[in-house]
Amino acid sequence: MNKALFLISLQHELAMAIGNKLDLKAMLKIFLKVCFNRLDLTSAHIYVYCDQSGMPCKSLPLKGSSYQHFLSIPKNKNGLPWSKNTRLANFARQLNNSKKSISFQCDNGQYLCGFIIPEYGLLTFETHYELANEVQKALQPILQKLATSCYTSIVHDSLVKEINSRQLIEEKVAFQAQHDGLTGLFNRQHINFLLGNALEDARTNEKAGSVVFIDLNRFKPINDAMGHTVGDKILLTLAQRLNSLNTEHMDIGRFGGDQFIILLKNLREDYQETIDQLIAQVNQLLTTPFIINTNSYKLTCSIGYALFPLQSSTVNNLIKFADIAMYEAKRAKTQRGKQYQRVMSDKIKKRLAYVDDMKQGLERGDFQLYYQTQYNHYGDIIGAEALLRWQHPVHGKESPGLYIPIAEESDLILSIGQWVLEQACRDIKKLEQLSLPESFNKIAINISAKQLIQHDFKESILKAIKQNDIPAKRLALELTENLLVENIEDSIKLIASLKENAIDCAIDDFGTGYSSLTYLKRIPASVLKIDRSFVTNIAQSSESAAIASMIISLGKTLNMDILAEGVETQEELNCLKELGCFHYQGFYFSGPLPFNEFAQLFK
Amino acid sequence: MATELFTWHTISDTLSDFKSGLSLAIESGAESLLVLTCSQNNYPEEELNALFTACPLKLFGGVYPMLTLQGDLIKQGALIIGFRETFDVTLFTQFNHVTTENSLEEFITSTLKEKQNFRGQDNFLIFYDALISNIEGFIDCLFECLDHGINIAGGGAGNLDFIQRHCIFTNSGIHSDAILLVALPRTLNTSVAHGWKTFDEPFLVSEAQGQTVQSLNYQPAYEVYCQTIENATEYTFNNTDFFDIAKHFPLGIKDINNNIIVRDPILAKNNHLQCFGNIPINSMIYLLEGKVETLVAATEKAAINLFSNLTNTTMPTTMVFDCISRALFMEDEFEKELNVIAEQCHSGTLFGVLSLGEIANSQSGAIRLLNKSIVISSW
């Protein structure tokens, strides 16, 4: 082939090898490979001009764009990438400075021949022969075409990058819209959407499913005591564990807080078995303690579920029903889960009506405070516990065991608590006007969990004392052990602050809860009340006696007074005395009395 | 001192003979065995597999259409060469899973990483299944990814019927769809020749895909090829087996230094030409022709070049990868080619294979797949 034909064919082959790919690196690689084979190269290299972020760009002379090594065939030389080859780097610098093609014979006899890719970069060939001048010139139009293709690829790459980042953002937004930020599970909104789809599918294809509602038991104390970071880690771990149960026909979501929902779809006829199995699996997941920052946390959960379309075909109802069933399971303290029953809703309706009734009763003045006196071992009255009584206009005397828990579930307990506080203060004021014995100390009122977490709780107490103009030392608060533990840090602060204001606190029902001794030591309470369950038949039960004895020693150690509740017999009294408990409350002395009768005791 | 210490061959096609040869080789004190067998042998594959897996020495090699020993052609039988050193052998398999350039690169780089980039190993023999889907992709990628230059020589194993069978030997058995890299303990010197000359103006490869040339000068490749040959020679393609004529007229790709890479057109299908190696689109290709004398002369020149450059300190082992289609072209005169090599090889063992495609370095250092060529390698 004559020289002219060779040059034309070379130009043709190289020109046709340009622009076969849109991606810059791929496009340049194809070009380099053709150069490599056709020009019998030992190695071939491309440097490209880059912007400040290192992305290939058009060279702008005034801005002084820098060039960077971009591609080499082969990739390495003597164990090092070509980008670190000093000889090549020096040659590239020389080439960039000269702004025109240059060639150079190396010490090892090899040749380096460099070309400018106009405005886009540098092209270098290493050969074992000297590249003829006419070949170098024949490459010039090719380089111009290569530059155009670089421009196209750079634009394409930046578009691809933009599309990708937009896609990533869109995916992220879509993910965030559907998933819970903490756990990555579906969020409430998306679970609602999925349930809607599942209901539609169930309707069209005659399928069945279930909404399983899971709520952690006693999670709040952990969150309060250990902080949300620990709580969040537990929730995240639980979410991961729940995810391990995931199947094709299951959607798992976080409904909020410590509540999770599992959506079971395509249930077969043996659905009960499937649901029971799931409940067992969820409980099994919780048997492994959550280890967070070397601390171990053991949790349980309550589970309720509702079936669709059997029990409802609307999203809201199904979730509501599963939630109701979960609360029933929580109330029943069962880990076996509860299926929603219509009677549960009826019960709720009744409860709501009952709460309404209570509200009216409070307004009508149907509530009264009764006082159960407290005695020392000399038989002197040392104080009394104010107890709430409701005289229903129709039903007569309602049991506190019934209405207090219901009031506690609703916010009505706050109104009731406030009334109790104010009424007790009014009664104290009246008592103050009598000649109270020196032994008489104070009237104690019971405080509920909801009251305790009110930000203005302390202020409301001080206000009631002030309004009634009574000595603060006459009022005491009774808080249950469990209540204290649930809000331990806040409780400690509150009790200390009340104590500074001469208001004492007693720990009620002591011995029935799970308070740690470490906490107990920090709670600045004045009185420990031994729960009635350890007092009843204490003379016959060595176990009760042992516990009571332990509480008494504990109280002494912590410098707290000990008061035994529910003392009903002489025998119990004697036993308590022997154990070293000298303050008592119970029917043996007196039952709860209306204020007037109670006041009579001091006349 | 000779680099090998044991040479055994048989022209028997029975396994029992091969077994006795292998036993002798195992007892010879050699550390590694190069085992070459002819594709015409009647070796039951399972038994051969069992023999190789039970072999206590490092074993490598393959099945080739024919073998050579000194100046002789072995059409059936086997050849075993025992070496004093334990050779490092790397097997690449399951190429059917490697479908993209990126996955091939990943596949090779992961193996290179395992092998510490063959650090300190610069000389290799390569045995490969000739019907592997992308041997050129592999050697290009190997060249690109290796962090140092290597000297390499090798040839495609298999059968002349172009049906893929197990044909690569290692201690783990016989493999198909595989490539075997054998690191040599000494410097490999190679010399390459083909002897084919251009006989007509070049053609533009206007359409091509891998090894298939669809059109030349924008006309159906097969028609252009046939017409050009028929116009210039007495050959007519009608009623004649395509390869019977095509073996005389391979295609050639010329590089800037006038080196010709030969491509063997082995099949005509759908007016396309199927070659035994890639033909780049938009390249210029030539029709080549050759005579036995020019081919043998080229081989002789290559042999002289190689052997005159070898140092005399050791007795080298010389292995020849000679393209089977040269033998088919030269027919009865093929042994002339073997003899000119044997005449130049004054010491050490000279043996080889008739291969389906050859591999060697080009002058620039790149690794090339060759057709209708001869690679003489000594170490």
PDB file of all heavy atoms in Angstrom, chain B residues 323-354:
ATOM      1  N   CYS B 323       1.006 -23.170  13.529  1.00  0.00           N
ATOM      2  CA  CYS B 323      -0.419 -23.212  13.228  1.00  0.00           C
ATOM      3  C   CYS B 323      -0.766 -24.454  12.401  1.00  0.00           C
ATOM      4  O   CYS B 323      -0.077 -24.777  11.428  1.00  0.00           O
ATOM      5  CB  CYS B 323      -0.820 -21.961  12.465  1.00  0.00           C
ATOM      6  SG  CYS B 323      -2.585 -21.889  12.221  1.00  0.00           S
ATOM      7  N   ILE B 324      -1.815 -25.147  12.787  1.00  0.00           N
ATOM      8  CA  ILE B 324      -2.232 -26.358  12.089  1.00  0.00           C
ATOM      9  C   ILE B 324      -2.530 -26.061  10.621  1.00  0.00           C
ATOM     10  O   ILE B 324      -2.286 -26.894   9.744  1.00  0.00           O
ATOM     11  CB  ILE B 324      -3.461 -27.002  12.796  1.00  0.00           C
ATOM     12  CG1 ILE B 324      -3.942 -28.286  12.071  1.00  0.00           C
ATOM     13  CG2 ILE B 324      -4.624 -26.030  12.899  1.00  0.00           C
ATOM     14  CD1 ILE B 324      -3.021 -29.427  12.131  1.00  0.00           C
ATOM     15  N   SER B 325      -3.011 -24.809  10.369  1.00  0.00           N
ATOM     16  CA  SER B 325      -3.386 -24.543   8.965  1.00  0.00           C
ATOM     17  C   SER B 325      -2.149 -24.376   8.079  1.00  0.00           C
ATOM     18  O   SER B 325      -2.233 -24.491   6.860  1.00  0.00           O
ATOM     19  CB  SER B 325      -4.326 -23.349   8.865  1.00  0.00           C
ATOM     20  OG  SER B 325      -3.624 -22.178   9.069  1.00  0.00           O
ATOM     21  N   ARG B 326      -1.001 -24.132   8.663  1.00  0.00           N
ATOM     22  CA  ARG B 326       0.250 -24.146   7.866  1.00  0.00           C
ATOM     23  C   ARG B 326       0.525 -25.580   7.424  1.00  0.00           C
ATOM     24  O   ARG B 326       0.924 -25.835   6.289  1.00  0.00           O
ATOM     25  CB  ARG B 326       1.431 -23.632   8.691  1.00  0.00           C
ATOM     26  CG  ARG B 326       1.378 -22.147   8.969  1.00  0.00           C
ATOM     27  CD  ARG B 326       2.448 -21.739   9.962  1.00  0.00           C
ATOM     28  NE  ARG B 326       3.788 -21.665   9.389  1.00  0.00           N
ATOM     29  CZ  ARG B 326       4.278 -20.610   8.751  1.00  0.00           C
ATOM     30  NH1 ARG B 326       3.533 -19.532   8.626  1.00  0.00           N
ATOM     31  NH2 ARG B 326       5.505 -20.626   8.250  1.00  0.00           N
ATOM     32  N   ALA B 327       0.289 -26.515   8.368  1.00  0.00           N
ATOM     33  CA  ALA B 327       0.495 -27.923   8.031  1.00  0.00           C
ATOM     34  C   ALA B 327      -0.502 -28.354   6.953  1.00  0.00           C
ATOM     35  O   ALA B 327      -0.149 -29.073   6.017  1.00  0.00           O
ATOM     36  CB  ALA B 327       0.331 -28.785   9.283  1.00  0.00           C
ATOM     37  N   LEU B 328      -1.742 -27.871   7.089  1.00  0.00           N
ATOM     38  CA  LEU B 328      -2.757 -28.231   6.097  1.00  0.00           C
ATOM     39  C   LEU B 328      -2.415 -27.619   4.740  1.00  0.00           C
ATOM     40  O   LEU B 328      -2.673 -28.193   3.695  1.00  0.00           O
ATOM     41  CB  LEU B 328      -4.143 -27.755   6.554  1.00  0.00           C
ATOM     42  CG  LEU B 328      -4.668 -28.377   7.848  1.00  0.00           C
ATOM     43  CD1 LEU B 328      -5.997 -27.741   8.254  1.00  0.00           C
ATOM     44  CD2 LEU B 328      -4.818 -29.881   7.720  1.00  0.00           C
ATOM     45  N   PHE B 329      -1.811 -26.430   4.793  1.00  0.00           N
ATOM     46  CA  PHE B 329      -1.415 -25.760   3.551  1.00  0.00           C
ATOM     47  C   PHE B 329      -0.196 -26.446   2.915  1.00  0.00           C
ATOM     48  O   PHE B 329      -0.166 -26.709   1.718  1.00  0.00           O
ATOM     49  CB  PHE B 329      -1.115 -24.283   3.851  1.00  0.00           C
ATOM     50  CG  PHE B 329      -0.521 -23.534   2.713  1.00  0.00           C
ATOM     51  CD1 PHE B 329      -1.306 -23.158   1.622  1.00  0.00           C
ATOM     52  CD2 PHE B 329       0.840 -23.196   2.695  1.00  0.00           C
ATOM     53  CE1 PHE B 329      -0.743 -22.464   0.559  1.00  0.00           C
ATOM     54  CE2 PHE B 329       1.400 -22.502   1.642  1.00  0.00           C
ATOM     55  CZ  PHE B 329       0.597 -22.134   0.575  1.00  0.00           C
ATOM     56  N   MET B 330       0.785 -26.753   3.719  1.00  0.00           N
ATOM     57  CA  MET B 330       2.034 -27.319   3.173  1.00  0.00           C
ATOM     58  C   MET B 330       1.910 -28.812   2.892  1.00  0.00           C
ATOM     59  O   MET B 330       2.729 -29.389   2.185  1.00  0.00           O
ATOM     60  CB  MET B 330       3.185 -27.077   4.152  1.00  0.00           C
ATOM     61  CG  MET B 330       3.557 -25.623   4.309  1.00  0.00           C
ATOM     62  SD  MET B 330       5.104 -25.479   5.200  1.00  0.00           S
ATOM     63  CE  MET B 330       4.723 -24.236   6.370  1.00  0.00           C
ATOM     64  N   GLU B 331       0.934 -29.421   3.500  1.00  0.00           N
ATOM     65  CA  GLU B 331       0.670 -30.856   3.333  1.00  0.00           C
ATOM     66  C   GLU B 331       1.954 -31.674   3.535  1.00  0.00           C
ATOM     67  O   GLU B 331       2.570 -31.570   4.574  1.00  0.00           O
ATOM     68  CB  GLU B 331       0.007 -31.111   1.979  1.00  0.00           C
ATOM     69  CG  GLU B 331      -1.381 -30.433   1.924  1.00  0.00           C
ATOM     70  CD  GLU B 331      -2.046 -30.531   0.562  1.00  0.00           C
ATOM     71  OE1 GLU B 331      -1.369 -30.866  -0.431  1.00  0.00           O
ATOM     72  OE2 GLU B 331      -3.263 -30.254   0.496  1.00  0.00           O
ATOM     73  N   ASP B 332       2.360 -32.429   2.512  1.00  0.00           N
ATOM     74  CA  ASP B 332       3.496 -33.350   2.695  1.00  0.00           C
ATOM     75  C   ASP B 332       4.815 -32.631   2.931  1.00  0.00           C
ATOM     76  O   ASP B 332       5.784 -33.220   3.425  1.00  0.00           O
ATOM     77  CB  ASP B 332       3.652 -34.232   1.451  1.00  0.00           C
ATOM     78  CG  ASP B 332       2.426 -35.108   1.280  1.00  0.00           C
ATOM     79  OD1 ASP B 332       1.684 -35.261   2.286  1.00  0.00           O
ATOM     80  OD2 ASP B 332       2.205 -35.607   0.164  1.00  0.00           O
ATOM     81  N   GLU B 333       4.860 -31.362   2.561  1.00  0.00           N
ATOM     82  CA  GLU B 333       6.133 -30.639   2.702  1.00  0.00           C
ATOM     83  C   GLU B 333       6.276 -29.970   4.074  1.00  0.00           C
ATOM     84  O   GLU B 333       7.224 -29.249   4.324  1.00  0.00           O
ATOM     85  CB  GLU B 333       6.227 -29.567   1.608  1.00  0.00           C
ATOM     86  CG  GLU B 333       6.303 -30.172   0.224  1.00  0.00           C
ATOM     87  CD  GLU B 333       6.344 -29.103  -0.846  1.00  0.00           C
ATOM     88  OE1 GLU B 333       5.266 -28.607  -1.231  1.00  0.00           O
ATOM     89  OE2 GLU B 333       7.457 -28.753  -1.280  1.00  0.00           O
ATOM     90  N   PHE B 334       5.297 -30.214   4.944  1.00  0.00           N
ATOM     91  CA  PHE B 334       5.301 -29.511   6.234  1.00  0.00           C
ATOM     92  C   PHE B 334       6.550 -29.812   7.061  1.00  0.00           C
ATOM     93  O   PHE B 334       7.064 -28.942   7.770  1.00  0.00           O
ATOM     94  CB  PHE B 334       4.035 -29.875   7.027  1.00  0.00           C
ATOM     95  CG  PHE B 334       4.004 -29.211   8.368  1.00  0.00           C
ATOM     96  CD1 PHE B 334       3.892 -27.816   8.478  1.00  0.00           C
ATOM     97  CD2 PHE B 334       4.115 -29.953   9.540  1.00  0.00           C
ATOM     98  CE1 PHE B 334       3.873 -27.206   9.715  1.00  0.00           C
ATOM     99  CE2 PHE B 334       4.090 -29.338  10.779  1.00  0.00           C
ATOM    100  CZ  PHE B 334       3.963 -27.964  10.871  1.00  0.00           C
ATOM    101  N   GLU B 335       7.057 -31.052   6.921  1.00  0.00           N
ATOM    102  CA  GLU B 335       8.207 -31.391   7.764  1.00  0.00           C
ATOM    103  C   GLU B 335       9.439 -30.550   7.421  1.00  0.00           C
ATOM    104  O   GLU B 335      10.349 -30.425   8.227  1.00  0.00           O
ATOM    105  CB  GLU B 335       8.482 -32.882   7.701  1.00  0.00           C
ATOM    106  CG  GLU B 335       7.355 -33.632   8.429  1.00  0.00           C
ATOM    107  CD  GLU B 335       7.688 -35.055   8.811  1.00  0.00           C
ATOM    108  OE1 GLU B 335       8.813 -35.484   8.530  1.00  0.00           O
ATOM    109  OE2 GLU B 335       6.820 -35.725   9.398  1.00  0.00           O
ATOM    110  N   LYS B 336       9.383 -29.919   6.228  1.00  0.00           N
ATOM    111  CA  LYS B 336      10.487 -29.002   5.875  1.00  0.00           C
ATOM    112  C   LYS B 336      10.585 -27.893   6.918  1.00  0.00           C
ATOM    113  O   LYS B 336      11.666 -27.465   7.292  1.00  0.00           O
ATOM    114  CB  LYS B 336      10.214 -28.352   4.498  1.00  0.00           C
ATOM    115  CG  LYS B 336      10.485 -29.215   3.314  1.00  0.00           C
ATOM    116  CD  LYS B 336      10.260 -28.392   2.047  1.00  0.00           C
ATOM    117  CE  LYS B 336      10.478 -29.256   0.805  1.00  0.00           C
ATOM    118  NZ  LYS B 336      10.074 -28.513  -0.410  1.00  0.00           N
ATOM    119  N   GLU B 337       9.395 -27.444   7.323  1.00  0.00           N
ATOM    120  CA  GLU B 337       9.345 -26.353   8.317  1.00  0.00           C
ATOM    121  C   GLU B 337       9.951 -26.824   9.643  1.00  0.00           C
ATOM    122  O   GLU B 337      10.745 -26.118  10.261  1.00  0.00           O
ATOM    123  CB  GLU B 337       7.897 -25.913   8.520  1.00  0.00           C
ATOM    124  CG  GLU B 337       7.716 -24.930   9.653  1.00  0.00           C
ATOM    125  CD  GLU B 337       6.637 -23.900   9.380  1.00  0.00           C
ATOM    126  OE1 GLU B 337       6.843 -23.043   8.514  1.00  0.00           O
ATOM    127  OE2 GLU B 337       5.590 -23.957  10.062  1.00  0.00           O
ATOM    128  N   LEU B 338       9.577 -28.056  10.013  1.00  0.00           N
ATOM    129  CA  LEU B 338      10.114 -28.577  11.274  1.00  0.00           C
ATOM    130  C   LEU B 338      11.618 -28.772  11.170  1.00  0.00           C
ATOM    131  O   LEU B 338      12.366 -28.510  12.122  1.00  0.00           O
ATOM    132  CB  LEU B 338       9.422 -29.902  11.626  1.00  0.00           C
ATOM    133  CG  LEU B 338       7.898 -29.839  11.797  1.00  0.00           C
ATOM    134  CD1 LEU B 338       7.362 -31.216  12.148  1.00  0.00           C
ATOM    135  CD2 LEU B 338       7.512 -28.830  12.874  1.00  0.00           C
ATOM    136  N   ASN B 339      12.048 -29.216   9.993  1.00  0.00           N
ATOM    137  CA  ASN B 339      13.478 -29.492   9.823  1.00  0.00           C
ATOM    138  C   ASN B 339      14.325 -28.229   9.888  1.00  0.00           C
ATOM    139  O   ASN B 339      15.414 -28.239  10.461  1.00  0.00           O
ATOM    140  CB  ASN B 339      13.713 -30.222   8.507  1.00  0.00           C
ATOM    141  CG  ASN B 339      13.211 -31.656   8.597  1.00  0.00           C
ATOM    142  OD1 ASN B 339      13.204 -32.244   9.695  1.00  0.00           O
ATOM    143  ND2 ASN B 339      12.768 -32.219   7.486  1.00  0.00           N
ATOM    144  N   VAL B 340      13.809 -27.133   9.302  1.00  0.00           N
ATOM    145  CA  VAL B 340      14.641 -25.913   9.337  1.00  0.00           C
ATOM    146  C   VAL B 340      14.802 -25.419  10.775  1.00  0.00           C
ATOM    147  O   VAL B 340      15.825 -24.815  11.109  1.00  0.00           O
ATOM    148  CB  VAL B 340      14.106 -24.775   8.428  1.00  0.00           C
ATOM    149  CG1 VAL B 340      14.183 -25.170   6.965  1.00  0.00           C
ATOM    150  CG2 VAL B 340      12.711 -24.318   8.824  1.00  0.00           C
ATOM    151  N   ILE B 341      13.812 -25.678  11.585  1.00  0.00           N
ATOM    152  CA  ILE B 341      13.959 -25.279  12.997  1.00  0.00           C
ATOM    153  C   ILE B 341      14.971 -26.216  13.666  1.00  0.00           C
ATOM    154  O   ILE B 341      15.892 -25.772  14.365  1.00  0.00           O
ATOM    155  CB  ILE B 341      12.612 -25.325  13.751  1.00  0.00           C
ATOM    156  CG1 ILE B 341      11.557 -24.453  13.060  1.00  0.00           C
ATOM    157  CG2 ILE B 341      12.781 -24.849  15.204  1.00  0.00           C
ATOM    158  CD1 ILE B 341      10.136 -24.672  13.558  1.00  0.00           C
ATOM    159  N   ALA B 342      14.775 -27.519  13.423  1.00  0.00           N
ATOM    160  CA  ALA B 342      15.651 -28.515  14.069  1.00  0.00           C
ATOM    161  C   ALA B 342      17.113 -28.269  13.680  1.00  0.00           C
ATOM    162  O   ALA B 342      18.018 -28.429  14.508  1.00  0.00           O
ATOM    163  CB  ALA B 342      15.209 -29.915  13.678  1.00  0.00           C
ATOM    164  N   GLU B 343      17.300 -27.839  12.436  1.00  0.00           N
ATOM    165  CA  GLU B 343      18.681 -27.592  11.987  1.00  0.00           C
ATOM    166  C   GLU B 343      19.332 -26.445  12.752  1.00  0.00           C
ATOM    167  O   GLU B 343      20.530 -26.429  12.982  1.00  0.00           O
ATOM    168  CB  GLU B 343      18.687 -27.241  10.486  1.00  0.00           C
ATOM    169  CG  GLU B 343      18.593 -28.473   9.592  1.00  0.00           C
ATOM    170  CD  GLU B 343      18.198 -28.103   8.169  1.00  0.00           C
ATOM    171  OE1 GLU B 343      18.377 -26.926   7.772  1.00  0.00           O
ATOM    172  OE2 GLU B 343      17.686 -28.998   7.459  1.00  0.00           O
ATOM    173  N   GLN B 344      18.522 -25.494  13.174  1.00  0.00           N
ATOM    174  CA  GLN B 344      19.068 -24.341  13.900  1.00  0.00           C
ATOM    175  C   GLN B 344      19.158 -24.597  15.399  1.00  0.00           C
ATOM    176  O   GLN B 344      19.881 -23.907  16.108  1.00  0.00           O
ATOM    177  CB  GLN B 344      18.185 -23.100  13.679  1.00  0.00           C
ATOM    178  CG  GLN B 344      18.057 -22.667  12.234  1.00  0.00           C
ATOM    179  CD  GLN B 344      19.400 -22.377  11.593  1.00  0.00           C
ATOM    180  OE1 GLN B 344      20.322 -21.868  12.242  1.00  0.00           O
ATOM    181  NE2 GLN B 344      19.557 -22.739  10.323  1.00  0.00           N
ATOM    182  N   CYS B 345      18.423 -25.586  15.846  1.00  0.00           N
ATOM    183  CA  CYS B 345      18.377 -25.847  17.295  1.00  0.00           C
ATOM    184  C   CYS B 345      19.435 -26.893  17.621  1.00  0.00           C
ATOM    185  O   CYS B 345      19.217 -28.086  17.429  1.00  0.00           O
ATOM    186  CB  CYS B 345      16.971 -26.342  17.656  1.00  0.00           C
ATOM    187  SG  CYS B 345      16.804 -26.706  19.397  1.00  0.00           S
ATOM    188  N   HIS B 346      20.562 -26.421  18.141  1.00  0.00           N
ATOM    189  CA  HIS B 346      21.688 -27.334  18.303  1.00  0.00           C
ATOM    190  C   HIS B 346      21.729 -28.003  19.667  1.00  0.00           C
ATOM    191  O   HIS B 346      22.465 -28.943  19.871  1.00  0.00           O
ATOM    192  CB  HIS B 346      23.010 -26.577  18.058  1.00  0.00           C
ATOM    193  CG  HIS B 346      23.030 -25.938  16.702  1.00  0.00           C
ATOM    194  ND1 HIS B 346      22.934 -26.674  15.540  1.00  0.00           N
ATOM    195  CD2 HIS B 346      23.101 -24.639  16.321  1.00  0.00           C
ATOM    196  CE1 HIS B 346      22.952 -25.841  14.495  1.00  0.00           C
ATOM    197  NE2 HIS B 346      23.055 -24.603  14.939  1.00  0.00           N
ATOM    198  N   SER B 347      21.030 -27.488  20.589  1.00  0.00           N
ATOM    199  CA  SER B 347      21.066 -28.136  21.912  1.00  0.00           C
ATOM    200  C   SER B 347      19.696 -28.037  22.570  1.00  0.00           C
ATOM    201  O   SER B 347      18.875 -27.211  22.193  1.00  0.00           O
ATOM    202  CB  SER B 347      22.112 -27.457  22.812  1.00  0.00           C
ATOM    203  OG  SER B 347      21.753 -26.106  23.017  1.00  0.00           O
ATOM    204  N   GLY B 348      19.471 -28.904  23.536  1.00  0.00           N
ATOM    205  CA  GLY B 348      18.201 -28.907  24.286  1.00  0.00           C
ATOM    206  C   GLY B 348      17.111 -29.613  23.503  1.00  0.00           C
ATOM    207  O   GLY B 348      17.288 -29.984  22.341  1.00  0.00           O
ATOM    208  N   THR B 349      16.008 -29.783  24.186  1.00  0.00           N
ATOM    209  CA  THR B 349      14.903 -30.502  23.553  1.00  0.00           C
ATOM    210  C   THR B 349      14.098 -29.541  22.694  1.00  0.00           C
ATOM    211  O   THR B 349      13.843 -28.408  23.090  1.00  0.00           O
ATOM    212  CB  THR B 349      13.991 -31.111  24.641  1.00  0.00           C
ATOM    213  OG1 THR B 349      14.805 -31.919  25.470  1.00  0.00           O
ATOM    214  CG2 THR B 349      12.881 -31.942  24.031  1.00  0.00           C
ATOM    215  N   LEU B 350      13.696 -30.021  21.530  1.00  0.00           N
ATOM    216  CA  LEU B 350      12.850 -29.227  20.625  1.00  0.00           C
ATOM    217  C   LEU B 350      11.557 -29.996  20.420  1.00  0.00           C
ATOM    218  O   LEU B 350      11.565 -31.154  20.000  1.00  0.00           O
ATOM    219  CB  LEU B 350      13.583 -29.036  19.284  1.00  0.00           C
ATOM    220  CG  LEU B 350      12.742 -28.471  18.145  1.00  0.00           C
ATOM    221  CD1 LEU B 350      12.306 -27.034  18.423  1.00  0.00           C
ATOM    222  CD2 LEU B 350      13.533 -28.529  16.829  1.00  0.00           C
ATOM    223  N   PHE B 351      10.489 -29.376  20.772  1.00  0.00           N
ATOM    224  CA  PHE B 351       9.190 -30.033  20.581  1.00  0.00           C
ATOM    225  C   PHE B 351       8.150 -28.948  20.351  1.00  0.00           C
ATOM    226  O   PHE B 351       8.444 -27.754  20.435  1.00  0.00           O
ATOM    227  CB  PHE B 351       8.811 -30.880  21.805  1.00  0.00           C
ATOM    228  CG  PHE B 351       8.619 -30.055  23.047  1.00  0.00           C
ATOM    229  CD1 PHE B 351       7.346 -29.648  23.428  1.00  0.00           C
ATOM    230  CD2 PHE B 351       9.698 -29.657  23.827  1.00  0.00           C
ATOM    231  CE1 PHE B 351       7.157 -28.882  24.554  1.00  0.00           C
ATOM    232  CE2 PHE B 351       9.517 -28.877  24.945  1.00  0.00           C
ATOM    233  CZ  PHE B 351       8.246 -28.485  25.316  1.00  0.00           C
ATOM    234  N   GLY B 352       6.945 -29.390  20.065  1.00  0.00           N
ATOM    235  CA  GLY B 352       5.917 -28.369  19.846  1.00  0.00           C
ATOM    236  C   GLY B 352       4.545 -28.944  19.587  1.00  0.00           C
ATOM    237  O   GLY B 352       4.320 -30.151  19.712  1.00  0.00           O
ATOM    238  N   VAL B 353       3.662 -28.031  19.258  1.00  0.00           N
ATOM    239  CA  VAL B 353       2.277 -28.427  18.978  1.00  0.00           C
ATOM    240  C   VAL B 353       1.840 -27.756  17.685  1.00  0.00           C
ATOM    241  O   VAL B 353       2.360 -26.701  17.318  1.00  0.00           O
ATOM    242  CB  VAL B 353       1.324 -27.982  20.115  1.00  0.00           C
ATOM    243  CG1 VAL B 353       1.623 -28.730  21.390  1.00  0.00           C
ATOM    244  CG2 VAL B 353       1.372 -26.477  20.333  1.00  0.00           C
ATOM    245  N   LEU B 354       0.899 -28.398  16.998  1.00  0.00           N
ATOM    246  CA  LEU B 354       0.232 -27.716  15.895  1.00  0.00           C
ATOM    247  C   LEU B 354      -1.039 -27.140  16.513  1.00  0.00           C
ATOM    248  O   LEU B 354      -1.891 -27.876  17.019  1.00  0.00           O
ATOM    249  CB  LEU B 354      -0.099 -28.687  14.763  1.00  0.00           C
ATOM    250  CG  LEU B 354       1.116 -29.344  14.092  1.00  0.00           C
ATOM    251  CD1 LEU B 354       0.718 -29.910  12.737  1.00  0.00           C
ATOM    252  CD2 LEU B 354       2.273 -28.360  13.895  1.00  0.00           C
TER     253      LEU B 354
END
